[in-house]
Amino acid sequence: MTAIPQGLTRRAVTVAAMCALAVTGTALTGCGSEDPDAGTNGVGKLSAAAIQAKAKKAAGTASAVRLSGTVVSGGTTYTLDMRLKSGGGTGSVTSKGAGFHLLRVGEHLFLKADAAFWAHEDRKGGGKPGGTAAADKLEGMYVKVPTGDPAYKRFSGFTDKDVLLDGLLGLHGALGKDGHHEQSGVPTIRITGDKGSGGTLDVSLRGTPYPVLLGRAGNAGTLRMTDWGKDFKLAEPARKDTVDYGQQLPSS
């Protein structure tokens, strides 16, 4: 019996033996290369449209997710790090050098920021330049955003899992596949819209086919999606840490 050369794995020997059969007239495929879908959830073998459909379904049925990265909307770049679930969401948003924290529990939306952020918002609303007494009072406090205030519509979407994902996961143009990739150690299959100009989406080939990485169309941001189904605590802030302005924020 011929000895197996040192370092040659059992799998390699098996593949070599199968390929040797081709010499005797048996047609085989994949000789000399590994099947990239071997040991995966099999999604990589589907069409781009079917992959997208499975990814959207998986995202829609997941109880929670963490989104981090950038979104360009209306010419403004937002850097997000949000944890979302059906009852609301919490996390940080940074835009134009100003950062703030968002928290939504049910219909109640809270915003926490420093005095510089509120002074900037006040100037936008027609207030006097520079710091204000209101801005100093609001610093570090959770401000309850009235549902009728323009800021509610402006920011609540960042805390809504279904709204945010529905608006982000759609690719534009004809769908196609762009091969196998890896994101943070997770094997993925990449699908594209209009050969990439309409966006790209990496879908996990391990376990449930969750979306993993989104490149938005027109260079409108990149988002990483992790912690699918991982629950987190979501509760309204203590009353002593909350400011309620009633019908409208002063900056509006």
Side-chain angles (χ1 to χ4, degrees):
M1 179 180 294
T2 303
I4 298 176
Q6 186 177 5
L8 190 61
T9 66
R10 183 187 298 270
R11 181 174 179 176
V13 172
T14 303
V15 172
M18 293 175 65
C19 289
L21 293 177
V23 178
T24 64
T26 304
L28 296 172
T29 59
C31 292
S33 64
E34 294 187 6
D35 179 2
D37 291 304
T40 72
N41 55 22
V43 170
K45 298 180 179 180
L46 303 179
S47 67
I51 295 172
Q52 184 185 51
K54 282 188 172 293
K56 284 188 173 183
K57 182 178 179 179
T61 57
S63 60
V65 65
R66 180 176 182 177
L67 271 69
S68 58
T70 59
V71 173
V72 181
S73 179
T76 300
T77 299
Y78 297 92
T79 300
L80 312 178
D81 189 358
M82 301 294 302
R83 300 193 69 179
L84 310 171
K85 60 182 181 179
S86 59
T90 182
S92 63
V93 180
T94 302
S95 175
K96 297 181 179 179
F100 51 94
H101 185 88
L102 289 174
L103 168 65
R104 183 176 64 84
V105 183
E107 292 186 355
H108 296 166
L109 177 66
F110 301 88
L111 190 156
K112 182 170 71 172
D114 59 19
F117 171 86
W118 289 113
H120 175 72
E121 290 294 297
D122 190 59
R123 289 195 299 273
K124 286 170 56 181
K128 296 179 180 180
T132 64
D136 291 337
K137 179 181 178 181
L138 298 178
E139 181 172 23
M141 299 291 289
Y142 280 98
V143 177
K144 188 174 183 180
V145 183
T147 56
D149 193 278
Y152 189 94
K153 182 177 181 181
R154 178 181 171 192
F155 294 129
S156 62
F158 288 127
T159 65
D160 193 311
K161 171 180 172 288
D162 293 334
V163 170
L164 196 57
L165 289 178
D166 285 346
L168 292 175
L169 293 182
L171 301 177
H172 304 284
L175 295 178
K177 296 167 68 174
D178 187 28
H180 292 72
H181 298 265
E182 184 176 297
Q183 302 296 337
S184 300
V186 177
T188 65
I189 183 70
R190 181 172 298 170
I191 58 175
T192 65
D194 199 16
K195 297 182 179 180
S197 62
T200 64
L201 182 66
D202 278 40
V203 178
S204 176
L205 290 175
R206 180 182 297 164
T208 304
Y210 290 122
V212 174
L213 184 70
L214 171 73
R216 300 187 69 204
N219 296 317
T222 302
L223 280 175
R224 189 172 299 276
M225 290 155 278
T226 59
D227 293 345
W228 286 103
K230 187 175 181 179
D231 196 18
F232 59 95
K233 184 178 180 180
L234 194 62
E236 293 191 14
R239 186 178 296 273
K240 65 180 180 64
D241 299 323
T242 306
V243 176
D244 189 344
Y245 270 93
Q247 297 301 311
Q248 192 174 39
L249 296 181
S251 61
S252 299

